[in-house]
Amino acid sequence: MSKIKVGVVGTGFIGPAHIEALRRLPNIEVTALCEVNIELATQKAAQLGIERPCTFEQLLAMEDIQCVHICTPNFLHYSQSKAALLAGKHVVCEKPLAKDLVEAEELVKIAAETGLVNAVHFNLRYYPLVRQMKTMREKGELGEIYSVIGSYLQDWLFYATDYNWRLEPDKSGDSRAIADIGSHLLDLIEYVTGLKTVEVMADFNTVHKIRKKPLKPVETYSGKMLQPEDYADVQINTEDHANVLLRFDNGNRGSITVSQVSAGRKNQLKVEISGSEKTVAWNSESPNEMWIGVRDGANGLLMRDPSLVHEEVRSLITYPGGHNEGFGDTSKQLFKEVYEAVAAGAPPASPKYPTFADGYRELLICERILDSSRSDQWTKV
């Protein structure tokens, strides 16, 4: 079998997650690993068992690398995706696609002009029961969508001493909770319901207006604490918590809450979609079950099982019922669809996977939510 050779850029949390998922596909070989300098690339490549450590310029010059995964901080997504496309590489980019709409629009244009495969890592679409909800809606089983209630809650920025590059607008952008995790929720809502968000009303709150930025590395699991003099006070202007009202193009409504300061919630996306026939509800922390509600009968619980879901969903399920699949499997299933297109040499006419155009769409909604939070009024998308 001729393997597709891949280069991955960035080794934070999500880069190794991409690598692990790619290695589970038989026709993919993660060949090159890029970091900010060759010394760090060499160190990380040795840790991850990757043959070629490299700089970004070296990666683009490798003729046998067909696809590049951009897993770097947000402010690098545009320039690196653009350079990779112009070097003739297919691109899978982390979200957000870019820092603003101008950059995102240019990437969509370049991707179309080059005819290369382009994808954004909206991997939460790839939980099997998310596609089951979408398929049920497409088959009319939910009826007309009346309302959507969603939330995405985390606690990794709960303390004022919690600090990360995502807190700095020059690296992450002017929105944080909405752009970082809310984008997954907003994408999932439109993906499942088929509705378009046409108007938003947002209320942002920065709980920790001053955070403590460590001035030296924290020794992980060492039991040692930094002293007060080891921190610098940094003013925070991006949101820790957000509530957003949504209006859809069918005239009905929705609401979402996004928080990175909800103690005990490590990574919980919840969505409840109510239609004229049924309601469905799903929770990412219990991803192998979906609640189904009806008015005149017993409610149900659908377990992730290839023998129970619709035929259109079975391609996303690797193991039999009772053998749970989770977060790591979502990236594998997304990449499986992306690399079918890479193997063909060009995107299909109607890709199943999220493209740069989808990345632009979510950036547009997030920008309008940010506009609404600043103006304190309804804003059209």
Side-chain angles (χ1 to χ4, degrees), residues 7-10 32-38 41 52-62 65 67-72 76-87 89-92:
V8 174
V9 188
L33 186 68
C34 168
E35 256 299 348
V36 66
N37 56 57
I38 194 63
R52 299 181 205 163
C54 58
T55 64
F56 187 66
E57 291 71 22
Q58 290 170 335
L59 175 64
L60 296 187
M62 295 178 187
I65 298 295
C67 188
V68 172
H69 286 237
I70 307 298
C71 303
T72 49
L76 293 170
H77 291 178
Y78 161 74
S79 60
Q80 291 180 336
S81 294
K82 178 179 178 179
L85 287 171
L86 294 177
K89 315 292 188 189
H90 306 288
V91 177
V92 177

Side-chain angles (χ1 to χ4, degrees), residues 40 93 151 173 334:
L40 184 58
C93 184
S151 63
L334 190 161

Side-chain angles (χ1 to χ4, degrees), residues 70-134:
I70 307 298
C71 303
T72 49
N74 300 356
F75 74 100
L76 293 170
H77 291 178
Y78 161 74
S79 60
Q80 291 180 336
S81 294
K82 178 179 178 179
L85 287 171
L86 294 177
K89 315 292 188 189
H90 306 288
V91 177
V92 177
C93 184
E94 265 303 319
K95 52 81 204 163
L97 178 60
K99 278 186 65 181
D100 58 50
L101 289 171
V102 173
E103 290 183 350
E105 188 173 24
E106 184 181 356
L107 287 178
V108 172
K109 182 173 180 288
I110 293 171
E113 289 172 349
T114 59
L116 293 162
V117 175
N118 55 96
V120 177
H121 191 234
F122 284 126
N123 60 303
L124 301 192
R125 291 185 182 193
Y126 282 79
Y127 282 105
L129 293 181
V130 170
R131 187 166 288 185
Q132 175 72 9
M133 290 190 290
K134 172 183 171 63

